[in-house]
Amino acid sequence: MATSIKKIVAASLIGTTIEWYDFFLYGSAAALVFNKLFFPESDPLTGTLLAFLTYAVGFVARPLGGLVFGHFGDRIGRKTLLVVSLLTMGAATFLIGCLPTYETLGPSAALLLTALRLVQGFALGGEWGGAVLIVSEHGDTARRGFWASWPQAGAPGGNLLATGVLAALAAWQSDEAFLAWGWRVPFLLSGVLVLIGLWIRLTITESPVFQEAPPEIAAPIVGVLRHHWKDVLTAIGARLAENISFYLLTVFVITYAKSVKIDNSTVLNAVLIASAIHFVTIPMWGALSDRIGRRPIYLAGAAGIGVWIFAFFPLIDTGNFLVITLAITVGLLFHGMMYGPQAAFFSELFGTRMRYTGVSIGAQLSAIVAGALAPIIAVALLKSYSSSLPISVYLGLAALLTLGAVYAARETQGSDLTERIHARWK
């Protein structure tokens, strides 16, 4: 029996929220404590830079995860791979919470941390494509942007959950207690969340569009490279400003706030409020893209963040909680204008039996040069220039590239995914 679209959306949203919780938790911990726990012999900014390097390793593994999960997702179905990705991510995150630190194991502790981060990246690389596709392929054409944007809301949902847990611990514990053992609690909590997500995902049905599509004669990656290479480049370019801005606004901002003597609880609570608003508004942007098209919303978001970033850091410098919250919230609203329509936009670019591979490869290759490097480049620029202006210029240039990529792309609103089953093989 077919599963209702609302249940499909709920299963995808809960699963992606848990996976992003695991992924963002690492980024927040890297900004807050990993420099002290795993790189204590370095000065604070250098230690943070090294912690962010281990953070970036997760992004390097994401294209491999996208390729492997995409291949099997296009061969055997979306549902099975979504279950595997959730279990893989949850196990890696739980084990991070069990890791010995530098004090116990020396440099080997950082190596184990890096290995588990690789596993996290591999799992997330396979998660995103499957989650947005199973919703896109269940939903109707007229409201695909709205329905497919809900798994996207899992990103701020996961960030909201991770930041909320960390903020609660920071308020409840002393800095010494959090550094000694409190940081482990959010990672261990992942084990419980994964069991909940797994139970929900096992109850949904496979995508009907996928079930109706006959198997292709070639490997999905061959079809993508032969027929969809321009669409892959579109996805890579479209994600640059979106991906970079998100990690600057939610991860690097913690490090930046510390550098200008703003306490952790202030910025964590600001990110918490902004993420809650971001969570609510992403489906609104997806719904709007069903009315006026994917490209106009996406272009407005890229242009907006390219301008706003020049006001963002001066607003953070004020140290005022309400102003900091406003700065992050507005930035994330512009991010949502890109992220909301993105799932439907990318899904509509590819044929059915290569769709999982196509969206995963395009999105995850961009993640290496965008999200992976964003905190590292930002920390390096801050250390070299002692100014936020070069960081703003960095995102501004990325926004120009995204504007060019999306402007050159075709509008996909209203595409019938069932008509694209064989479109690229004819």
Side-chain angles (χ1 to χ4, degrees):
M1 185 175 65
T3 310
S4 72
I5 183 62
K6 291 181 180 179
K7 187 173 182 180
I8 293 291
V9 167
S12 293
L13 174 60
I14 291 170
T16 52
T17 298
I18 294 168
E19 295 243 11
W20 281 116
Y21 164 82
D22 292 346
F23 204 75
F24 290 142
L25 181 61
Y26 190 104
S28 297
L32 289 170
V33 296
F34 278 178
N35 60 329
K36 300 173 185 176
L37 293 169
F38 294 95
F39 307 99
E41 296 187 342
S42 303
D43 66 81
L45 263 184
T46 301
T48 301
L49 187 60
L50 291 171
F52 276 141
L53 282 171
T54 66
Y55 172 77
V57 164
F59 289 84
V60 175
R62 281 168 66 171
L64 179 60
L67 181 61
V68 173
F69 279 81
H71 175 84
F72 288 103
D74 282 329
R75 287 289 188 179
I76 64 176
R78 305 357 181 168
K79 176 182 172 179
T80 301
L81 275 297
L82 283 173
V83 170
V84 173
S85 69
L86 187 61
L87 285 172
T88 305
M89 175 68 89
T93 305
F94 184 84
L95 290 174
I96 289 174
C98 302
L99 275 181
T101 62
Y102 184 94
E103 184 180 3
T104 304
L105 207 58
S108 298
L111 293 177
L112 289 174
L113 180 69
T114 303
L116 289 173
R117 181 60 178 174
L118 278 168
V119 176
Q120 276 193 323
F122 180 80
L124 190 63
E127 159 71 19
W128 182 81
V132 300
L133 288 189
I134 203 163
V135 174
S136 295
E137 293 176 348
H138 271 88
D140 60 280
T141 302
R143 293 188 296 171
R144 183 179 298 125
F146 172 69
W147 291 124
S149 66
W150 279 103
Q152 300 290 77
N159 196 39
L160 182 65
L161 190 57
T163 306
V165 172
L166 287 170
L169 287 170
W172 175 59
Q173 291 185 307
S174 65
D175 289 344
E176 292 76 18
F178 182 75
L179 194 63
W181 61 270
W183 68 273
R184 297 182 184 275
V185 174
F187 289 93
L188 297 175
L189 179 62
S190 174
V192 178
L193 296 176
V194 165
L195 291 177
I196 296 171
L198 183 62
W199 173 71
I200 294 171
R201 281 198 168 174
L202 287 171
T203 64
I204 63 174
T205 57
E206 182 56 81
S207 154
V209 172
F210 174 82
Q211 290 177 319
E212 293 169 9
E216 299 293 354
I217 58 174
I221 186 61
V222 175
V224 169
L225 295 178
R226 182 181 299 165
H227 302 289
H228 287 289
W229 62 271
K230 289 183 180 179
D231 297 320
V232 170
L233 292 178
T234 294
I236 291 173
R239 286 214 74 197
L240 290 176
E242 175 268 306
N243 217 218
I244 291 171
S245 65
F246 188 79
Y247 290 101
L248 292 184
L249 295 169
T250 61
V251 176
F252 172 73
V253 70
I254 299 172
T255 297
Y256 181 79
K258 287 168 66 177
S259 74
V260 293
K261 311 303 181 186
I262 299 172
D263 63 274
N264 290 337
S265 61
T266 296
V267 70
L268 282 172
N269 287 327
V271 172
L272 196 67
I273 294 170
S275 294
I277 296 171
H278 193 32
F279 178 86
V280 173
T281 54
I282 280 179
M284 294 170 56
W285 298 123
L288 188 59
S289 77
D290 286 327
R291 290 181 174 270
I292 65 175
R294 319 297 185 211
R295 291 170 68 252
I297 306 299
Y298 214 115
L299 289 169
I305 197 61
V307 173
W308 182 252
I309 195 64
F310 288 92
F312 176 76
F313 289 109
L315 292 174
I316 300 296
D317 291 339
T318 66
N320 182 284
F321 173 71
L322 292 178
V323 175
I324 292 171
T325 304
L326 175 68
I328 300 172
T329 299
V330 173
L332 287 178
L333 285 174
F334 285 126
H335 173 268
M337 294 176 75
M338 296 179 280
Y339 204 54
Q342 188 183 94
F345 181 34
F346 288 6
S347 297
E348 291 160 346
L349 290 172
F350 299 92
T352 299
R353 284 291 184 159
M354 59 193 85
R355 188 170 290 136
Y356 201 146
T357 300
V359 299
S360 297
I361 294 299
Q364 305 311 333
L365 282 176
S366 183
I368 294 181
V369 297
L373 296 180
I376 297 170
I377 290 173
V379 170
L381 289 172
L382 182 63
K383 188 175 181 181
S384 298
Y385 296 97
S386 299
S387 169
S388 63
L389 183 59
I391 305 169
S392 298
V393 172
Y394 162 53
L395 179 54
L397 292 174
L400 289 175
L401 292 173
T402 292
L403 284 168
V406 177
Y407 182 79
R410 57 189 170 82
E411 178 57 66
T412 62
Q413 177 206 6
S415 299
D416 186 345
L417 297 185
T418 60
E419 291 179 357
R420 298 188 56 75
I421 290 175
H422 300 293
R424 294 295 180 174
W425 288 99
K426 290 182 179 179

